[in-house]
Amino acid sequence: MSNQSKIKTPIPEQDPNIRNKNFLEVSLGYTQELAKEEASRCIQCKNRPCVEGCPVMVQIPEFIKLVAEGDFESAYQKTLETNSLPAVCGRVCPQETQCEELCVRGIKGDAVGIGRLERFVADVHLDEVEHGRIEGVKLVEKTSGKKVAVIGSGPAGLVCAADCAKMGHDVTVFEAFHTPGGVLVYGIPEFRLPKVLVKDEIESLKKLGVKIITNMVVGKTVTIDDLKEEGFNAFFIGSGAGLPQFMGIPGENLNGVYTSNEFLTRINLMKAYLFPKYATPVNVGNSVAVVGGGNVAMDAARSAKRLGAENVYIIYRRGEAEMPARAEEIHHAHEEGIIFKLLTNPVSILGDENNIVKGIECVEMELGEPDASGRRSPTEKKGSNHIIDVETVIIAIGSKPNPLIPQTTDGLSVNRKGCIEVRSEEGLTTVDGIYAGGDVVTGAATVILAMGAGKAAAKAIDEYLMG
Ligand code: FAD
């Protein structure tokens, strides 16, 4: 008997006024009872539109049915058939514009909480493995005699490496940072994605026999040509889009101005939030301006609040409806006391006599008619200049791929946005044997798309090596 409730079973969360002072996960996850209750809202419809909405086509009704029946491990295994990182995707995928947007229950009420259930089954599984009640992954024999180099250990690289290893290839991941995981460890904060989950995924990868070499900047420490000489037969470039963009306004070089990339890396990877245990603090002061309206801006603003800033402003030149951030992140930011300065655009950052930020000058904007892409362009309201007093400014207006690898690899073409050009859906680049996928090809996008690209490339690499 299906649960007729029009409302998604609420998920327990930390109180906003408590969580905005700590870095523990916001959402506490479903209990078994709540998960079964939510799973029984799925009506198991025949045409399964939710599956079409999922970029990796998780068999959603099937796994949800297993949750409703209380067979959580089988439900987990079902998600794993097409999604290698369900604990991550259940937490960070924009379900509201993918699977849940197409859910039939969403027509007359809330969609089924597919993301919440995906996260639930993954968490139950990890708990079982941790307590030794079920076995994790096993080492796969390297039978093919072929060596694959994966550059970058974000979701694209992790998935490609795992799949290549499962196909019997000898895989080495080269990562520039000292910790593997890509944006999952250096970008998305602990309160949205606990790093222990990513660590578990990396450990599983190692158990499959994948070697991970950190502090290795391909294009600088070693080139793809060097690796070819070392005997690597195929390559996957999953180096992401970590090069920050600037606004090009006066004052961007003042002390107290960060790119979101630097700010979040200092907090997540260098553990600024654990000061004084870690001697790498970030002093944000009392008032912080974050420029941008995506997930990155929300993460930076919510992190700044947790570091102790009283006033944290999101400065965004369009309205809230146009914000690219996930609805849930915007909602959580409001709850935590982030101040939204919408239809507002910075024109300069102001410093004191010591070149330390003391304010940000902004203008008001208004939205015009939609352009060819359907987006309403903002235009400046004349004479609306005003100053917001802040001690820190964080620029979160987007990023693009670093040119290092294309610049040091003969024949590897990029498009005008600096993204690596691919000749096939599986990510074959302009050089035979070199594949690419994730943000380095699409520009800044999503975890699930990066994973999908890693998976597709692994299959093509296997065919290239064995065909
Ligand atoms: P990345 O995750 O960027 O990984 C690339 C890796 O390659 C990095 O570890 C990097 O150090 C390494 N690398 C780069 N150059 C080299 C080199 N020359 N040699 C060796 N290694 C190199 N997406 C969502 O779906 N939901 C969200 O909620 C969400 N929130 C986000 C929040 C933030 C703060 C950010 C920055 C992004 C967010 N995204 C979100 C986007 C998502 O994280 C990315 O689309 C995804 O991580 C891209 O995966 P990737 O594997 O292509 O690259």
Side-chain angles (χ1 to χ4, degrees):
M1 176 65 189
S2 73
N3 173 351
Q4 298 300 313
S5 172
K6 289 196 169 130
I7 314 244
K8 223 179 243 186
T9 311
I11 195 160
E13 286 179 350
Q14 278 197 75
D15 181 272
N17 286 317
I18 294 176
R19 70 174 193 245
N20 66 9
K21 296 173 194 69
N22 70 54
F23 276 78
L24 299 175
E25 195 173 6
V26 168
S27 168
L28 304 173
Y30 278 151
T31 58
Q32 296 194 2
E33 289 66 36
L34 291 175
K36 283 202 231 169
E37 188 181 322
E38 181 58 15
S40 62
R41 290 187 63 235
C42 173
I43 55 171
Q44 298 289 316
C45 49
K46 289 267 176 312
N47 52 352
R48 308 154 85 240
C50 52
V51 180
E52 294 302 316
C54 172
V56 295
M57 300 197 80
V58 169
Q59 299 300 293
I60 294 167
E62 285 82 353
F63 102 77
I64 290 185
K65 184 162 182 282
L66 289 161
V67 176
E69 292 166 358
D71 187 354
F72 306 134
E73 178 57 20
S74 302
Y76 170 76
Q77 294 299 337
K78 185 51 79 183
T79 62
L80 211 57
E81 284 173 11
T82 50
N83 180 354
S84 320
L85 303 172
V88 173
C89 291
R91 286 172 166 82
V92 305
C93 262
Q95 290 100 9
E96 68 276 11
T97 56
Q98 296 179 347
C99 52
E100 293 185 16
E101 187 177 36
L102 301 178
C103 172
V104 171
R105 290 300 306 260
I107 299 169
K108 288 192 181 159
D110 288 348
V112 174
I114 300 167
R116 295 174 177 186
L117 292 170
E118 186 179 38
R119 164 207 163 122
F120 168 78
V121 296
D123 287 358
V124 171
H125 170 83
L126 289 171
D127 191 57
E128 296 285 292
V129 173
E130 206 169 290
H131 289 91
R133 289 190 285 265
I134 51 175
E135 249 187 284
V137 295
K138 291 198 201 103
L139 181 76
V140 181
E141 289 301 322
K142 304 290 161 266
T143 50
S144 76
K146 305 286 183 189
K147 284 175 75 175
V148 179
V150 171
I151 301 159
S153 62
L158 291 180
V159 169
C160 184
D163 280 16
C164 285
K166 287 178 194 159
M167 291 163 186
H169 306 304
D170 181 358
V171 184
T172 306
V173 175
F174 297 93
E175 167 55 47
F177 273 136
H178 62 276
T179 306
V183 170
L184 305 182
V185 293
Y186 80 74
I188 304 179
E190 183 75 21
F191 58 82
R192 276 215 295 135
L193 181 63
K195 301 309 154 220
V196 65
L197 296 171
V198 188
K199 213 167 154 221
D200 280 345
E201 296 299 345
I202 309 278
E203 286 310 312
S204 302
L205 199 61
K206 288 187 191 159
K207 282 188 196 147
L208 282 173
V210 172
K211 294 176 268 286
I212 302 180
I213 303 183
T214 51
N215 297 314
M216 186 67 96
V217 185
V218 175
K220 217 167 191 124
T221 330
V222 71
T223 63
I224 288 190
D225 284 341
D226 296 334
L227 294 174
K228 272 186 193 160
E229 277 180 26
E230 282 180 29
F232 283 94
N233 308 98
F235 298 82
F236 175 74
I237 306 172
S239 51
L243 193 69
Q245 312 255 52
F246 288 87
M247 292 179 286
I249 62 173
E252 280 183 307
N253 54 354
L254 289 167
N255 288 323
V257 179
Y258 295 88
T259 62
S260 53
N261 204 323
E262 179 190 353
F263 183 69
L264 290 168
T265 302
R266 281 171 181 266
I267 294 172
N268 295 323
L269 214 50
M270 307 192 54
K271 309 277 183 225
Y273 72 97
L274 293 179
F275 177 78
K277 193 173 158 201
Y278 283 75
T280 42
V282 176
N283 184 5
V284 288
N286 202 37
S287 299
V288 177
V290 179
V291 184
N295 286 324
V296 184
M298 298 303 140
D299 283 344
R302 296 171 68 199
S303 297
K305 186 83 185 170
R306 282 162 171 78
L307 288 181
E310 185 66 29
N311 310 307
V312 181
Y313 305 98
I314 288 269
I315 299 183
Y316 183 56
R317 62 194 182 132
R318 293 184 163 93
E320 191 165 312
E322 287 80 25
M323 278 189 159
R326 292 184 60 201
E328 187 182 40
E329 305 314 325
I330 296 173
H331 170 70
H332 280 153
H334 276 299
E335 278 189 337
E336 290 168 12
I338 306 300
I339 306 158
F340 283 59
K341 295 267 181 197
L342 300 168
L343 292 168
T344 303
N345 201 30
V347 288
S348 73
I349 303 170
L350 312 170
D352 65 12
E353 61 284 2
N354 297 315
N355 286 331
I356 296 174
V357 170
K358 64 171 190 179
I360 184 162
E361 183 184 355
C362 299
V363 287
E364 290 173 23
M365 308 293 282
E366 49 198 355
L367 289 181
E369 291 302 310
D371 61 16
S373 70
R375 252 187 137 193
R376 297 174 66 193
S377 298
T379 48
E380 187 179 323
K381 272 195 206 167
K382 289 242 162 359
S384 62
N385 296 51
H386 58 282
I387 290 168
I388 306 172
D389 293 335
V390 292
E391 290 122 293
T392 302
V393 173
I394 302 162
I395 305 168
I397 57 163
S399 57
K400 56 184 195 177
N402 190 305
L404 195 54
I405 297 176
Q407 277 170 0
T408 53
T409 311
D410 272 349
L412 196 65
S413 299
V414 294
N415 65 19
R416 61 185 174 83
K417 291 184 174 164
C419 299
I420 292 182
E421 249 173 33
V422 292
R423 286 186 277 162
S424 73
E425 282 189 6
E426 293 78 28
L428 176 61
T429 66
T430 44
V431 183
D432 283 346
I434 305 184
Y435 294 77
D439 283 5
V440 74
V441 169
T442 55
T446 61
V447 170
I448 191 88
L449 288 175
M451 285 170 50
K455 201 168 192 59
K459 197 162 166 279
I461 287 172
D462 183 57
E463 282 160 14
Y464 167 76
L465 292 174
M466 308 312 285

